[in-house]
Amino acid sequence: MERITEDQIKRLVSFVYARILGADSLQGEARRTVAALRLVADKQVAAVRYFRASPSSGHAVADHANSSWNLLVSIARIWRDHSEFPADAAMETFEFDAESPLAPII
C-alpha cells in the first residue's frame, strides 16, 4: 500500500464515483444493483482511508489496506474500456512470497 500515492487514490475514487453516482434515473433492479455497488465502493474507500491514516502498523493493518484497495481497483476495472479509466492509478497491491505465492505470509 505504501507505493500507492494519495493522488492515485483520489483519481481512482473520483473515477469510480463518477460512474456510479448517476444512477438516480434508473429503475428497479438496475437501481438496486448500482446502490449495492455504491455501498461496496463506499466501504472500500472508507477502509483504504482509515488504514492509510491508522497510526498502528503491522501485517494485519497492511493486509486490510491492501485487500480494500484491491477490491476498489476491481470495481474500477468494470469500466476499464472507458476513455477516462485511470490505468496508472488502478494498480493492485500484492503481498505474497515470491518463492511460494500460494502460501500465506507469516
Side-chain angles (χ1 to χ4, degrees):
M1 204 52 219
E2 296 85 28
R3 66 187 178 104
I4 304 299
T5 66
E6 287 300 317
D7 180 62
Q8 287 174 299
I9 293 170
K10 287 177 189 173
R11 286 187 296 124
L12 191 69
V13 168
S14 295
F15 176 79
V16 169
Y17 281 156
R19 307 287 82 70
I20 61 178
L21 289 180
D24 294 334
S25 64
L26 298 175
Q27 300 294 321
E29 191 65 27
R31 187 178 187 133
R32 286 187 292 278
T33 300
V34 172
L37 187 56
R38 185 180 305 156
L39 178 65
V40 170
D42 286 346
K43 289 184 178 287
Q44 298 318 306
V45 169
V48 166
R49 296 205 187 285
Y50 172 80
F51 291 120
R52 292 276 290 198
S54 176
S56 60
S57 61
H59 192 66
V61 171
D63 281 351
H64 285 9
N66 288 333
S67 295
S68 295
W69 174 255
N70 289 341
L71 185 54
L72 190 58
V73 168
S74 295
I75 292 168
R77 286 201 172 132
I78 292 170
W79 300 281
R80 68 183 166 271
D81 295 333
H82 192 282
S83 63
E84 296 174 20
F85 179 73
D88 59 329
M91 299 181 343
E92 290 185 89
T93 58
F94 294 99
E95 293 292 327
F96 60 86
D97 179 350
E99 295 296 317
S100 181
L102 298 179
I105 296 177
I106 303 174

